[in-house]
């Protein structure tokens, strides 16, 4: 995969300091390719989208809301208690974490929160597109944003590498929108008869394209505007404005306009 081998280790606890949080020596950096994380993100998102097509709103929320609450509970313990909880957490999920998540919530929590809120707030087709947009667009944006750096020097490279907001590039934003649009169209065409109460026959191609494009563009803009550096000033509850939360909410809202 070209990804550097990564091992998560924890410094042994000193005597009399068993209540201190163990030190994390090695986790992936934000600048790493981190292919396992991208694959997990896309795979989990598509699995959740599949569940959305097979469950109505109440059934979906009964399944995923307890999982969301459990995830946040474990993360709060990891951040505030450390010790055995953190060691176990890192042993199980350390390969999917980044070093900047060691003292705040991991993106998995925001992913679950964004999905639950999207299903709670938007109709079935819109919430389905919100999940697919998050699952596909986010990792593709990261891949193409990094890949544009290897292009030969040219005006095209300068354009694609141009920064939009923060560290986000034009290449990543365009790739997000295109990949999410294609995935959204495919998903609506394939599973419309399940996801749409009235059936696929009542959903014309122009409407599918409009919903898919709206969700993709809105999700791309939300990914740009998200800012992990913004953290609430609560030491024991360090919540951030994560794109895994903003993308599904923006995509779901945009798609809902065409229902």
């Amino acid at each position: 995969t070209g990804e550097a081998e990564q091992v998560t280790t924890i410094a042994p606890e000193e005597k009399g300091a068993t209540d201190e949080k163990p030190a994390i020596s090695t986790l992936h950096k934000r600048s790493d390719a981190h292919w396992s994380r991208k694959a997990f993100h896309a795979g989990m998102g598509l699995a959740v989208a599949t569940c959305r097509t097979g469950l109505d709103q109440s059934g979906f929320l009964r399944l995923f809301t307890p999982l969301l609450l459990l995830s946040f509970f474990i993360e709060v313990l990891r951040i505030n208690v450390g010790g055995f909880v953190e060691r176990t957490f890192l042993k199980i999920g350390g390969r999917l974490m980044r070093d900047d998540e060691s003292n705040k919530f991991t993106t998995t929590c925001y992913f679950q929160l964004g999905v639950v809120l999207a299903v709670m707030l938007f109709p079935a087709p819109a919430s389905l597109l919100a999940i697919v947009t998050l699952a596909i667009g986010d990792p593709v944006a990261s891949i193409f944003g990094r890949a544009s750096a290897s292009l030969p020097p040219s005006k095209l490279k300068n354009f694609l590498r141009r920064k939009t907001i923060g560290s986000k590039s034009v290449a990543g934003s365009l790739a997000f929108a295109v990949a999410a649009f294609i995935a959204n169209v495919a998903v609506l065409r394939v599973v419309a008869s399940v996801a749409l109460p009235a059936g696929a026959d009542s959903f014309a191609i122009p409407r599918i394209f409009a919903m898919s494009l709206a969700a993709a563009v809105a999700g791309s803009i939300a990914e740009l505007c998200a800012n992990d550096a913004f953290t609430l000033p609560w030491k024991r509850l360090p919540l951030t404005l994560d794109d895994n939360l903003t993308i599904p909410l923006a995509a779901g809202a945009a798609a809902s306009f065409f229902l």
Side-chain angles (χ1 to χ4, degrees):
T1 61
E3 181 181 359
E5 185 177 357
Q6 169 263 349
V7 179
T8 300
T9 59
I10 301 173
E13 297 177 347
E14 297 179 0
K15 292 183 179 180
T18 56
D19 58 336
E20 294 182 1
K21 294 183 68 174
I24 302 171
S25 63
T26 306
L27 286 174
H28 278 288
K29 298 183 182 298
R30 179 180 284 274
S31 59
D32 293 343
H34 210 165
W35 292 104
S36 58
R37 182 184 175 101
K38 291 178 175 61
F40 178 78
H41 180 103
M44 181 173 66
L46 293 177
V48 172
T50 301
C51 291
R52 182 65 186 101
T53 64
L55 297 171
D56 60 12
Q57 183 188 54
S58 60
F60 186 95
L61 294 177
R62 282 197 300 269
L63 174 61
F64 283 93
T65 302
L67 294 176
L68 168 65
L69 296 176
L70 177 62
S71 294
F72 268 97
F73 177 71
I74 293 174
E75 292 271 21
V76 168
L77 287 180
R78 176 183 69 84
I79 294 169
N80 294 284
V81 177
F84 172 77
V85 177
E86 185 168 30
R87 287 195 299 272
T88 304
F89 190 94
L90 291 174
K91 185 175 182 179
I92 295 173
R95 290 187 61 83
L96 299 175
M97 286 181 64
R98 292 194 304 247
D99 57 354
D100 60 354
E101 294 175 325
S102 60
N103 293 311
K104 63 182 182 182
F105 290 101
T106 62
T107 58
T108 301
C109 284
Y110 298 104
F111 186 105
Q112 292 175 291
L113 179 59
V115 165
V116 167
L117 289 177
V119 172
M120 188 182 299
L121 295 173
F122 308 124
S127 62
L128 176 61
L129 292 188
I131 298 169
V132 174
T133 297
L134 174 61
I136 301 301
D138 199 21
V140 168
S142 176
I143 292 171
F144 276 82
R146 291 173 56 86
S148 63
S150 61
L151 293 174
S154 64
K155 291 183 178 180
L156 176 62
K157 178 178 181 178
N158 293 337
F159 171 73
L160 293 176
R161 293 294 294 169
R162 182 178 300 168
K163 301 301 181 184
T164 51
I165 298 177
S167 61
K168 309 297 175 66
S169 67
V170 172
S173 299
L174 290 176
F176 183 115
V178 172
F181 171 70
I182 294 172
N184 287 341
V185 170
V187 166
L188 275 187
R189 289 293 293 163
V190 171
V191 302
S193 60
V194 177
L196 303 176
D201 293 339
S202 65
F203 232 58
I205 293 295
R207 199 178 195 187
I208 289 178
F209 273 59
M211 283 184 64
S212 299
L213 181 61
V217 172
S220 180
I221 294 173
E223 194 259 348
L224 280 176
C225 296
N227 187 356
D228 292 345
F230 173 79
T231 304
L232 292 177
W234 302 334
K235 185 176 180 181
R236 295 189 178 276
L237 200 64
L239 295 170
T240 65
L241 190 62
D242 193 271
D243 58 7
N244 288 275
L245 174 59
T246 61
I247 289 171
L249 294 181
S256 296
F257 279 112
F258 297 91
L259 293 174

